Amino acid sequence: MVQVHRNGEIFGDGRGRAARGGRTVLVAGGAGFVGSHLCDALLAQGHRVLCVDSFLTGSHANIQPLLNHPAFRLIEADICHLNDIDEPIDQIYNLACAASPPQYQADPMHTMMTCVQGTGNLLRLAEVNGASLLQASTSEVYGDPEEHPQREEYRGNVSCTGPRACYDEGKRAAEALCFDLYRAGRVDARVARIFNTYGPRMQPDDGRIVSNLVVQALSGDALTIYGSGEQTRSFCFVSDLVRGLIALMNVDPNPGQPVNLGNPGEFTINELAEMVVSMVRCAGEIVYRPLPQDDPQRRRPDITRAEALLGWSPTVPLAEGLRKTIDWFETFLTETKDRRRPKTGPARESEHRTTPVPVGA
Ligand code: UDP
């Protein structure tokens, strides 16, 4: 058990003040897709929330309803330059980083520095506050995995020179920092390895598969599939993930090891496209584009550890979560009248089209 000292007191696991009432929780990346849902959940539990966001990929709309909440404070800052906060903090969630491949590849230097410098700054903040810190790591630390499903013991198959490296290697380095400071007894650090997550408030043009397919289907555009579409992913609805993050932050004792959080249901990209087409009831034309370099072929979490240590497992099936996501995007697109095509993806010269996926398939 880590003992963290602050102002001459000793806080077991850095959660001493928390035991005396509502906590002050800093959410870095709190205006992002996952972060804003986490802010909602923490406020609903009665905590004070300090939302730190640079708005590089976060959105004001995500937190607009919270701005008048008496327990919510917005701090516009980049964690790469964050040194101190002018009030005591009990817990820190670090979700601050671009997470979709096109976005994190747009400024690889900044992505890497966000993971390393930014996480370092938050760890220092946690240390001086005697706060617990939960680092949002990623299934990307497994790279294009040769072990399936992925257990936390698996060390991964990551290219350190490829286009995903700024994110994958940055997140791996951030894990190293967390466990170094944890072992040294300096910070009660916890690490969640988050697998593909989806739900309301995804950005319509962030280039990820669920948002791309849903926006394309609702807009009557062709659905873009990279490669053969036989690569797999496991999709976790955002409310399940947020529940897992909060459970990991609060479990006692600190597991002292990374914990996978994801939904073990595994689908090919073609299967996902069929579901979206059937639920949106659109024509379902598919356009195939080249597979991006280093795109993982299979991904599925082994969540045995999360089940055993946190009593956590996801409860929202893909069809149910997709329904909620489609409904949200439908409203969002109507309200914004912003039926934008996703701006990302490899060059169009090498596209080829197929016959539509049958509705109801
Ligand atoms: N993908 C696709 N069409 C799209 C966007 C993504 O076929 O319009 C594929 C992508 O190549 C990958 C999978 O869908 O195999 C998941 O991509 P995403 O960017 O959502 O996340 P990743 O798991 O690769 O980080």
Side-chain angles (χ1 to χ4, degrees), residues 98 100-109 111 162-167 292-293:
S100 84
Q103 288 184 336
Y104 70 63
Q105 289 165 9
D107 187 349
M109 178 87 87
T111 299
R164 299 174 89 102
C166 60
Y167 185 74
Q293 188 184 331

Side-chain angles (χ1 to χ4, degrees), residues 99-102 104 140 164 196 207-210 212-213 216 224-227 231 233 235 269 291-292 295-296 299:
S100 84
Y104 70 63
E140 289 281 329
R164 299 174 89 102
N196 296 65
R208 277 188 275 205
I209 186 63
V210 173
N212 269 10
L213 293 182
Q216 289 159 349
T224 53
I225 290 185
Y226 305 160
Q231 69 271 35
R233 293 291 187 275
F235 300 99
I269 298 306
L291 192 68
D295 198 279
R299 185 182 286 159

